[in-house]
Amino acid sequence: MLLCIALVPAPLFAEPPDAGTEALVRIARERKLSENPYWRTLLHCPVGLTPYRSYIDDPAFFLAETGKTDADAELTALIRTFFTGEAPGDVPLCRFIARYTWVYDQLSDVLDTPPLVCEEAARLRPSSATLIFPTYHLNNPASMFGHTFLTIETDYQAPVLADAVNYAALPDSQNPITYMFKGIVGSFKGYYAILPYYKKIQEYGDMAQRDIWEYPLTLTPEETRRMVLHILELKESYSYYYFFDKNCSYMLQFLLETARPGLSLTHEKGLTVIPIDTIKAMQKAGLISEARYRPSLGSRIQAGVRRLSKDEVRLAQNLSDGTLPPTDFLAMELPDRTKRVTLDLVTDVTRYRRAKKKLSQEEFRPRFLGTLKARKTLGKGSPEEKAVPAPPEPTTGHDASRVSATFGVRDGDSFEELAFTPAFTNLLTTDYTRREGVQIEFLHTRVRYDNEDNELDLEAFTVLDILSLSPRNPFIRPLSWTFHAGYEKRMTEAGDMKGAYSLRAATGMTWNLSDDSLFFILPEAELLASKGLDKGISVGPGLRTGLLFSPTERWRMLLSGNITRRMPDDTTETHAAFETNLTVNRNNRIGLSISRTDVESQHAWETSLSWHRYF
């Protein structure tokens, strides 16, 4: 009998563990809860990051003084605060509800008390979540790569009434140059905020004229609730915002990791993190199954203009200006379809002008209601009359980074080039739009080997190059613009190539010549610093123009030219180029470029053939 007793496992005769606070701390350490990947996710430390360090910078987010750098200290502080069997005193439970809930679940087998209740969390009934992607907004440095945020839906609300969860910087400067610099070095604090989704639609779709893509997530109601508990913890907590990596897109990934334990998104961060990367990563992880397109007011207006003739557009202008009463328009001998399309266009134009504060509320109300009243008399019409053709869905486009291999000839001398661009796209791709011109290149680096001189040299290093070609129409007249900062080889008056630091900016206008082509003209100014200049530095005006067109869906061409006057050198530089890009498949392109550069009496021809690989 004694032998049998000796062979029985000791835990069968062991007393239940002491559920006192320090005993719980000991059990948590034995179970290595502070090393659990999910605990570190709740503290916003990427999986695999060693040593542990939270990306949250607000001390109020932590219970322990060393919680930012010591996961075990934070776990111990939480147990000692909320697992004493008494009310936690001045420490609000809701501020730590996701962490408390997870730790309670991990220790539930040794606890004999019910969990504490956060009243705010108890009232929540989330059912699903959607990832929202307002597209590229080049006029705002913070959103030139687009933006991402989440909406949390319930079963008893319309989707536009859902809560939108947004992470963004709180800037202290409106100057775009200062904004960019501070965003790059992390001088702004970023906060998670909750706003009604319909307000974000007004902000992005109506005021900023940005199309919105909605991606319903495959989260279960329980996973969504788990994420919402963590969102409660993050209210009013800040972390320093870094424009190219720890940004709106990257910091959102922590929320999804808290929703679905075992999900790993944040540890794959590269040199840059842009919204399109995050969306594709979510697709790969099985979080996204479909995409929905929500056109902006600008896109709806553009679609309405394309459905009408020039004379009909003129009638729409008169209606929107108030010079043609809707009743007089209804009396015209026009097809009902034309009347419906025209009045729908006028409705959108009136809303657009109000959003842009070009109409006062007193002017807007009677004009808008009068248009709606006239439109109601014409019946519903067919869905095609209001349909807005969707641009290419963003995730079907090429990946963000690019490496390029080039073989070329310059004035009879051959060369090879290798280039690398971390992000993102240029004018010669049709992946994201064919009606507009979008170029965003960050840290583009190009080295060239000259076969004649047997030399390897840095040909160009672009810190940032942005080109926004937004077509104008009778109702929306945006300015197009470009900004460039970097280093590049430039021709001198003697005809040789010298390194130069350049800073140039331009603003002008763009028009669609057809649905797949546009013409632009941009007066510009350039500051140039180079040893190849007589004075070492020059500044002068210039003019940039071009024709961008797409013969087919996979083929794009650019015919461009620019002229710059260098002062005080009193020299003129002109450059003309024909460039074309053929899409082989999603991440492979073939490019051809032919160009001529003139500086006073000197000139040079250059022809090159390139292979571009995106990854």
Side-chain angles (χ1 to χ4, degrees), residues 2 16 25 32 103-104 128 135 143 172 214 230 289 323-324 348 353 373 412 458 469 493 528 546 563 582 594:
L2 291 174
V25 169
K32 298 183 178 180
V103 173
Y104 184 93
S128 60
T135 53
S143 298
D172 57 12
E214 300 173 338
H230 184 56
S289 59
T323 57
L324 175 62
D348 288 334
R353 289 179 174 173
K373 184 178 179 181
L458 178 64
L469 302 177
E493 190 176 1
L528 203 63
I563 181 169
L582 179 65
I594 303 172

Side-chain angles (χ1 to χ4, degrees), residues 174-188:
Q174 298 300 318
N175 183 292
I177 303 299
T178 304
Y179 190 107
M180 283 289 295
F181 175 77
K182 287 191 171 185
I184 290 172
V185 301
S187 293
F188 294 137

Side-chain angles (χ1 to χ4, degrees), residues 210-225:
R210 297 166 66 179
D211 291 342
I212 294 174
W213 285 92
E214 300 173 338
Y215 298 91
L217 300 178
T218 60
L219 298 178
T220 65
E222 179 57 33
E223 289 173 330
T224 306
R225 178 174 175 76

